[in-house]
Structure formats: C-alpha cells, structure tokens
C-alpha cells in the first residue's frame, strides 16, 4: 500500500516577514509549551497506573526541556523582559 502526501509550499514574499514571523513563532511556541506543561502536570496528578505514571514523567521531562530551550532562545532574541532572563536560565524541575 502506498501513501502519498502532497503539501503546497507557503512562503512569504517579503524577507522581513520571515524575521517577524520567527519572533512570533517562538512566543507562540512558548505559549503552547506552557499549555502542554500544564496539561502534563494535570495528567500526572490524575493517573494511578504505573505505566501511565512513567509516561507522564517522560512527557513532563520532554516538555520541560522544550520550554527551557524556548525560554533561552527568547532571551537571546531579546523577546523576554529583562526581569524574566533569570527564569530562562534557571533549572526546571518537577517540583518547582
């Protein structure tokens, strides 16, 4: 069985739009990562099966690493306020 995927390219014509879209993308991804982190914590708090607990632990670790990476990128691009820069570089843990 063959599966074919076709996607048309969607490229902006102005190069300045790409830079602005990149900045907005990081902010949007930060919001999505924060939402995913909240959902992972909610899921972790509501499961009792050991396999699901392990799944949520892995999910929490993955989302936290992504969120930390995005915070660092936003700080480097100066998208975060000055007082939030320390938050971008502090270690995230399950108990914070």
């Amino acid at each position: 069985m063959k599966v074919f995927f076709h996607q048309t390219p969607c490229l902006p014509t102005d190069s300045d739009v790409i830079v602005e879209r990149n900045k907005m993308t990081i902010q949007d991804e930060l919001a999505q990562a924060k939402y995913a982190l909240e959902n992972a914590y909610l899921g972790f708090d509501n499961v009792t099966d050991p396999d699901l607990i392990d799944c949520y632990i892995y999910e929490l670790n993955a989302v936290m690493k992504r969120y930390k990476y995005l915070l660092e990128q936003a700080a480097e691009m100066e998208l975060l306020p000055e007082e939030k820069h320390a938050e971008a570089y502090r270690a995230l843990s399950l108990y914070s």
Side-chain angles (χ1 to χ4, degrees):
M1 173 171 34
K2 287 188 176 183
V3 178
F4 294 97
F5 294 98
H6 179 71
Q7 183 176 2
T8 59
C10 179
L11 299 175
T13 57
D14 192 33
S15 63
D16 292 339
V17 175
I18 295 172
V19 174
E20 290 300 316
R21 182 171 279 176
N22 188 20
K23 288 183 182 181
M24 290 303 295
T25 301
I26 289 178
Q27 291 171 340
D28 291 340
E29 287 185 35
L30 267 170
Q32 289 175 354
K34 188 174 182 179
Y35 181 74
L37 191 58
E38 292 170 358
N39 282 339
Y41 273 118
L42 286 174
F44 180 77
D45 289 341
N46 293 315
V47 295
T48 56
D49 183 53
D51 290 335
L52 288 177
I53 291 171
D54 288 342
C55 288
Y56 278 109
I57 289 171
Y58 287 122
E59 184 177 346
L60 280 167
N61 285 329
V63 173
M64 281 191 291
K65 287 181 188 268
R66 178 165 178 73
Y67 187 66
K68 183 177 184 295
Y69 170 78
L70 291 170
L71 279 175
E72 290 171 356
Q73 293 299 309
E76 287 176 10
M77 295 177 74
E78 299 179 0
L79 296 175
L80 292 178
E82 193 67 34
E83 61 271 3
K84 295 280 189 173
H85 282 222
E87 180 183 329
Y89 295 103
R90 73 173 173 83
L92 293 173
S93 69
L94 287 174
Y95 306 106
S96 58

Coordinates of all heavy atoms in Angstrom, one line a residue, residues 19-81:
V19 N 11.5 37.2 9.4 CA 12.1 37.5 10.7 C 11.0 37.8 11.8 O 11.1 37.3 12.9 CB 13.0 38.8 10.6 CG1 13.6 39.2 12.0 CG2 14.2 38.4 9.7
E20 N 10.0 38.6 11.4 CA 8.9 38.9 12.4 C 8.1 37.6 12.7 O 7.8 37.4 13.8 CB 8.0 40.0 11.8 CG 8.7 41.3 11.8 CD 9.1 41.8 13.2 OE1 8.3 41.6 14.1 OE2 10.2 42.3 13.3
R21 N 7.9 36.8 11.7 CA 7.2 35.5 11.9 C 8.0 34.6 12.8 O 7.4 33.9 13.7 CB 6.9 34.8 10.6 CG 6.1 33.6 10.8 CD 5.6 33.0 9.5 NE 4.4 33.8 9.1 CZ 3.8 33.6 8.0 NH1 4.2 32.8 7.1 NH2 2.7 34.3 7.7
N22 N 9.3 34.6 12.7 CA 10.1 33.8 13.6 C 10.0 34.3 15.0 O 9.9 33.4 15.9 CB 11.6 33.9 13.1 CG 12.5 32.9 13.9 OD1 12.0 31.9 14.5 ND2 13.8 33.2 13.9
K23 N 10.0 35.5 15.3 CA 9.8 36.1 16.6 C 8.4 35.7 17.2 O 8.3 35.3 18.3 CB 10.0 37.6 16.7 CG 11.4 38.0 16.5 CD 11.6 39.5 16.6 CE 13.0 39.9 16.4 NZ 13.2 41.3 16.5
M24 N 7.4 35.8 16.4 CA 6.1 35.4 16.8 C 6.0 33.9 17.0 O 5.3 33.5 17.9 CB 5.0 35.9 15.8 CG 4.9 37.4 15.7 SD 4.4 38.1 17.3 CE 2.8 37.4 17.5
T25 N 6.7 33.2 16.2 CA 6.6 31.7 16.4 C 7.2 31.3 17.7 O 6.6 30.4 18.4 CB 7.4 31.1 15.2 OG1 6.8 31.4 14.0 CG2 7.4 29.6 15.3
I26 N 8.3 31.9 18.1 CA 8.9 31.5 19.4 C 7.9 31.8 20.6 O 7.7 31.1 21.5 CB 10.2 32.2 19.6 CG1 11.3 31.5 18.7 CG2 10.7 32.0 21.1 CD1 12.6 32.1 18.8
Q27 N 7.3 33.0 20.5 CA 6.3 33.4 21.5 C 5.1 32.4 21.5 O 4.6 32.0 22.5 CB 5.9 34.8 21.3 CG 7.0 35.8 21.6 CD 6.6 37.2 21.2 OE1 5.7 37.4 20.4 NE2 7.3 38.2 21.8
D28 N 4.7 32.1 20.3 CA 3.5 31.1 20.2 C 3.9 29.8 20.7 O 3.2 29.1 21.4 CB 3.1 31.0 18.8 CG 2.4 32.3 18.3 OD1 1.9 33.1 19.1 OD2 2.3 32.5 17.0
E29 N 5.2 29.3 20.4 CA 5.6 28.0 20.9 C 5.8 28.0 22.4 O 5.5 27.0 23.0 CB 6.9 27.7 20.2 CG 6.7 27.2 18.7 CD 8.0 26.7 18.1 OE1 8.8 26.1 18.8 OE2 8.2 27.0 16.9
L30 N 6.2 29.1 22.9 CA 6.3 29.2 24.4 C 4.9 29.1 25.0 O 4.8 28.4 26.0 CB 6.9 30.6 24.8 CG 8.4 30.6 25.0 CD1 8.9 32.1 25.2 CD2 8.8 29.8 26.2
A31 N 4.0 29.7 24.5 CA 2.6 29.6 25.0 C 2.1 28.1 24.9 O 1.5 27.6 25.8 CB 1.7 30.5 24.3
Q32 N 2.4 27.5 23.7 CA 2.0 26.1 23.5 C 2.7 25.2 24.5 O 2.1 24.2 25.0 CB 2.2 25.7 22.1 CG 1.3 26.3 21.1 CD 1.6 26.0 19.7 OE1 2.7 25.3 19.4 NE2 0.8 26.4 18.7
A33 N 4.0 25.4 24.7 CA 4.8 24.6 25.6 C 4.3 24.7 27.0 O 4.2 23.8 27.8 CB 6.3 24.9 25.5
K34 N 4.0 26.0 27.4 CA 3.4 26.2 28.8 C 2.1 25.5 28.9 O 1.9 24.9 30.0 CB 3.3 27.7 29.0 CG 2.9 28.1 30.4 CD 2.9 29.6 30.6 CE 2.6 29.9 32.0 NZ 2.6 31.3 32.3
Y35 N 1.2 25.6 27.9 CA 0.0 24.8 28.0 C 0.2 23.3 28.1 O -0.5 22.6 28.8 CB -0.9 25.2 26.7 CG -2.2 24.6 26.7 CD1 -3.2 25.0 27.5 CD2 -2.5 23.5 25.8 CE1 -4.5 24.4 27.4 CE2 -3.7 22.9 25.7 CZ -4.7 23.4 26.5 OH -5.9 22.8 26.5
A36 N 1.1 22.8 27.3 CA 1.4 21.4 27.3 C 2.0 21.0 28.7 O 1.7 19.9 29.2 CB 2.4 21.0 26.2
L37 N 2.8 21.8 29.3 CA 3.3 21.5 30.6 C 2.2 21.5 31.6 O 2.2 20.6 32.5 CB 4.4 22.6 31.0 CG 5.2 22.4 32.2 CD1 6.0 21.1 32.1 CD2 6.2 23.5 32.4
E38 N 1.3 22.4 31.6 CA 0.1 22.4 32.5 C -0.7 21.1 32.3 O -1.1 20.5 33.3 CB -0.7 23.6 32.3 CG 0.0 24.9 32.7 CD -0.8 26.2 32.3 OE1 -1.9 26.0 31.6 OE2 -0.3 27.3 32.6
N39 N -0.9 20.7 31.0 CA -1.7 19.5 30.8 C -1.0 18.3 31.3 O -1.6 17.3 31.8 CB -2.0 19.4 29.3 CG -3.1 20.3 28.9 OD1 -3.9 20.7 29.7 ND2 -3.2 20.6 27.6
A40 N 0.3 18.2 31.1 CA 1.1 17.1 31.5 C 1.0 17.0 33.1 O 0.9 15.9 33.6 CB 2.6 17.2 31.1
Y41 N 1.1 18.1 33.8 CA 1.0 18.1 35.2 C -0.4 17.6 35.6 O -0.5 16.8 36.6 CB 1.3 19.5 35.8 CG 2.7 19.7 36.1 CD1 3.4 20.8 35.5 CD2 3.4 18.9 37.0 CE1 4.7 21.0 35.8 CE2 4.8 19.2 37.3 CZ 5.4 20.2 36.7 OH 6.7 20.5 37.0
L42 N -1.4 18.1 34.9 CA -2.8 17.6 35.3 C -2.9 16.1 35.0 O -3.5 15.4 35.8 CB -3.8 18.4 34.4 CG -4.0 19.9 34.8 CD1 -4.9 20.5 33.8 CD2 -4.7 19.9 36.2
G43 N -2.4 15.6 33.9 CA -2.5 14.2 33.6 C -1.7 13.4 34.7 O -2.2 12.4 35.1
F44 N -0.5 13.9 35.0 CA 0.3 13.2 36.0 C -0.4 13.1 37.4 O -0.4 12.1 38.1 CB 1.6 13.9 36.2 CG 2.5 13.2 37.2 CD1 3.2 12.1 36.9 CD2 2.7 13.8 38.4 CE1 4.1 11.5 37.8 CE2 3.5 13.2 39.4 CZ 4.2 12.0 39.0
D45 N -1.1 14.2 37.7 CA -1.8 14.2 39.0 C -3.0 13.3 39.1 O -3.5 12.9 40.1 CB -2.3 15.6 39.3 CG -1.1 16.5 39.7 OD1 0.0 16.0 40.1 OD2 -1.3 17.8 39.6
N46 N -3.5 12.9 37.9 CA -4.8 12.1 37.8 C -4.6 10.7 37.4 O -5.7 10.0 37.2 CB -5.8 12.8 36.9 CG -6.2 14.2 37.4 OD1 -6.5 14.3 38.6 ND2 -6.2 15.2 36.6
V47 N -3.4 10.1 37.3 CA -3.3 8.7 37.0 C -2.8 7.9 38.2 O -2.1 8.5 39.1 CB -2.3 8.6 35.8 CG1 -2.9 9.2 34.5 CG2 -1.0 9.1 36.1
T48 N -3.1 6.6 38.1 CA -2.7 5.7 39.2 C -1.9 4.5 38.6 O -1.2 3.9 39.4 CB -3.9 5.3 40.1 OG1 -4.8 4.6 39.2 CG2 -4.5 6.4 40.8
D49 N -2.1 4.2 37.4 CA -1.5 3.1 36.7 C 0.0 3.4 36.6 O 0.4 4.5 36.1 CB -2.1 2.9 35.4 CG -1.5 1.6 34.7 OD1 -1.4 0.6 35.3 OD2 -1.0 1.8 33.5
P50 N 0.9 2.5 37.1 CA 2.4 2.7 37.0 C 2.9 3.0 35.6 O 3.8 3.8 35.4 CB 3.0 1.4 37.5 CG 1.9 0.8 38.4 CD 0.6 1.2 37.7
D51 N 2.3 2.4 34.6 CA 2.8 2.6 33.2 C 2.4 4.1 32.8 O 3.2 4.7 32.1 CB 2.2 1.6 32.2 CG 2.7 0.2 32.4 OD1 3.9 0.1 32.9 OD2 2.0 -0.7 32.0
L52 N 1.2 4.5 33.1 CA 0.8 5.9 32.8 C 1.6 6.9 33.6 O 2.0 8.0 33.1 CB -0.7 6.1 33.0 CG -1.6 5.4 32.0 CD1 -3.0 5.6 32.4 CD2 -1.3 5.9 30.6
I53 N 2.0 6.6 34.8 CA 2.8 7.5 35.6 C 4.2 7.6 34.9 O 4.7 8.8 34.8 CB 3.0 6.9 37.1 CG1 1.7 7.0 37.8 CG2 4.1 7.7 37.8 CD1 1.7 6.4 39.2
D54 N 4.7 6.5 34.4 CA 6.0 6.6 33.7 C 5.9 7.5 32.4 O 6.7 8.3 32.1 CB 6.5 5.2 33.3 CG 7.0 4.5 34.5 OD1 7.3 5.1 35.6 OD2 7.2 3.2 34.4
C55 N 4.8 7.3 31.7 CA 4.5 8.0 30.5 C 4.5 9.5 30.8 O 5.1 10.3 30.1 CB 3.2 7.6 29.8 SG 3.3 6.0 29.1
Y56 N 3.8 9.9 31.9 CA 3.7 11.3 32.2 C 5.0 11.9 32.7 O 5.3 13.1 32.5 CB 2.6 11.6 33.2 CG 1.2 11.7 32.5 CD1 0.3 10.7 32.7 CD2 0.9 12.8 31.7 CE1 -1.0 10.8 32.0 CE2 -0.3 12.9 31.1 CZ -1.3 11.8 31.2 OH -2.5 11.9 30.6
I57 N 5.8 11.1 33.4 CA 7.1 11.5 33.8 C 8.0 11.9 32.6 O 8.6 12.9 32.5 CB 7.8 10.5 34.7 CG1 7.1 10.5 36.1 CG2 9.3 10.8 34.9 CD1 7.5 9.4 37.0
Y58 N 8.0 11.0 31.6 CA 8.7 11.2 30.4 C 8.2 12.4 29.6 O 8.9 13.3 29.1 CB 8.7 10.0 29.4 CG 9.5 8.9 29.9 CD1 9.0 7.6 30.2 CD2 10.9 9.0 30.1 CE1 9.7 6.6 30.6 CE2 11.7 8.0 30.6 CZ 11.1 6.7 30.8 OH 11.9 5.7 31.3
E59 N 6.8 12.6 29.6 CA 6.2 13.7 28.9 C 6.6 15.0 29.6 O 6.9 16.0 29.0 CB 4.7 13.6 28.8 CG 4.0 14.7 28.1 CD 2.5 14.4 28.0 OE1 2.0 13.3 28.2 OE2 1.9 15.4 27.6
L60 N 6.5 15.0 30.9 CA 6.9 16.2 31.7 C 8.4 16.6 31.4 O 8.7 17.8 31.2 CB 6.7 16.0 33.2 CG 5.3 16.1 33.7 CD1 5.1 15.6 35.1 CD2 4.8 17.6 33.6
N61 N 9.3 15.6 31.5 CA 10.7 15.9 31.2 C 10.9 16.5 29.8 O 11.6 17.5 29.6 CB 11.5 14.7 31.4 CG 11.7 14.4 32.9 OD1 11.7 15.2 33.7 ND2 11.9 13.1 33.2
A62 N 10.2 15.9 28.8 CA 10.4 16.4 27.4 C 9.8 17.8 27.3 O 10.5 18.7 26.7 CB 9.7 15.4 26.5
V63 N 8.6 18.0 27.8 CA 8.0 19.4 27.7 C 8.9 20.4 28.5 O 9.0 21.5 28.0 CB 6.6 19.4 28.1 CG1 6.0 20.8 28.2 CG2 5.7 18.5 27.2
M64 N 9.4 20.1 29.6 CA 10.2 21.0 30.4 C 11.5 21.4 29.7 O 11.9 22.5 29.7 CB 10.5 20.4 31.8 CG 9.3 20.6 32.7 SD 9.8 20.2 34.5 CE 10.1 18.5 34.4
K65 N 12.1 20.4 29.0 CA 13.3 20.7 28.3 C 13.0 21.6 27.1 O 13.7 22.5 26.8 CB 14.0 19.4 27.8 CG 14.6 18.6 28.9 CD 15.3 17.4 28.4 CE 15.8 16.6 29.5 NZ 17.2 16.8 29.9
R66 N 11.9 21.3 26.4 CA 11.5 22.2 25.3 C 11.2 23.6 25.8 O 11.6 24.6 25.1 CB 10.3 21.6 24.6 CG 9.8 22.4 23.4 CD 8.8 21.7 22.5 NE 8.3 22.5 21.5 CZ 9.0 22.9 20.4 NH1 10.3 22.5 20.3 NH2 8.5 23.7 19.5
Y67 N 10.4 23.7 26.9 CA 10.1 25.0 27.4 C 11.3 25.8 27.8 O 11.5 27.0 27.5 CB 9.2 24.8 28.6 CG 8.6 26.1 29.1 CD1 7.7 26.9 28.4 CD2 8.9 26.6 30.4 CE1 7.1 28.1 28.9 CE2 8.4 27.7 30.9 CZ 7.5 28.5 30.1 OH 7.0 29.6 30.6
K68 N 12.3 25.1 28.4 CA 13.5 25.8 28.8 C 14.3 26.2 27.6 O 14.8 27.3 27.6 CB 14.4 24.8 29.7 CG 15.7 25.5 30.2 CD 16.4 24.5 31.1 CE 17.6 25.1 31.7 NZ 18.7 25.5 30.8
Y69 N 14.4 25.4 26.6 CA 15.1 25.8 25.4 C 14.4 27.0 24.7 O 15.1 27.9 24.3 CB 15.1 24.6 24.4 CG 15.5 24.9 23.0 CD1 16.9 25.1 22.7 CD2 14.6 25.2 22.0 CE1 17.3 25.4 21.5 CE2 15.0 25.6 20.7 CZ 16.4 25.7 20.5 OH 16.8 26.0 19.2
L70 N 13.1 27.0 24.6 CA 12.4 28.1 24.1 C 12.6 29.4 24.9 O 12.7 30.5 24.3 CB 10.9 27.8 23.9 CG 10.6 26.8 22.8 CD1 9.1 26.4 22.9 CD2 10.9 27.3 21.4
L71 N 12.6 29.3 26.2 CA 12.9 30.5 27.0 C 14.3 31.0 26.8 O 14.5 32.2 26.7 CB 12.8 30.1 28.5 CG 11.4 30.1 29.1 CD1 11.4 29.6 30.5 CD2 10.7 31.4 29.0
E72 N 15.3 30.1 26.6 CA 16.6 30.6 26.3 C 16.7 31.3 25.0 O 17.4 32.3 24.8 CB 17.6 29.4 26.4 CG 17.8 28.8 27.8 CD 18.6 27.5 27.8 OE1 18.9 27.0 26.7 OE2 18.9 27.1 28.9
Q73 N 16.0 30.7 24.0 CA 16.0 31.3 22.7 C 15.3 32.7 22.7 O 15.8 33.6 22.1 CB 15.3 30.4 21.7 CG 16.0 29.1 21.4 CD 17.4 29.3 20.8 OE1 17.5 30.1 19.8 NE2 18.4 28.7 21.4
A74 N 14.3 32.8 23.4 CA 13.6 34.1 23.5 C 14.4 35.1 24.2 O 14.4 36.3 23.9 CB 12.2 33.9 24.2
A75 N 15.2 34.7 25.3 CA 16.0 35.6 26.0 C 17.2 36.1 25.1 O 17.5 37.2 25.1 CB 16.6 34.9 27.2
E76 N 17.7 35.2 24.3 CA 18.8 35.5 23.3 C 18.3 36.5 22.3 O 19.0 37.4 21.8 CB 19.4 34.3 22.7 CG 20.3 33.5 23.6 CD 20.8 32.2 23.0 OE1 20.6 32.0 21.8 OE2 21.3 31.4 23.7
M77 N 17.1 36.3 21.8 CA 16.5 37.2 20.8 C 15.9 38.5 21.4 O 15.3 39.3 20.7 CB 15.4 36.4 20.0 CG 15.9 35.3 19.2 SD 14.6 34.4 18.4 CE 14.3 35.6 17.1
E78 N 16.0 38.6 22.7 CA 15.5 39.7 23.5 C 14.0 39.9 23.4 O 13.5 41.0 23.2 CB 16.3 41.0 23.1 CG 17.8 40.9 23.4 CD 18.5 42.2 22.9 OE1 17.9 43.1 22.4 OE2 19.7 42.2 23.1
L79 N 13.3 38.8 23.4 CA 11.9 38.8 23.4 C 11.3 38.8 24.8 O 10.1 39.0 24.9 CB 11.3 37.6 22.6 CG 11.7 37.6 21.1 CD1 11.2 36.3 20.4 CD2 11.1 38.8 20.4
L80 N 12.1 38.5 25.8 CA 11.6 38.5 27.1 C 12.0 39.8 27.8 O 13.0 40.3 27.5 CB 12.3 37.3 27.9 CG 11.9 35.9 27.5 CD1 12.7 34.9 28.4 CD2 10.5 35.6 27.7
P81 N 11.2 40.2 28.8 CA 11.6 41.4 29.6 C 12.8 41.0 30.4 O 13.1 39.9 30.7 CB 10.4 41.6 30.5 CG 9.3 40.8 29.9 CD 9.9 39.7 29.1

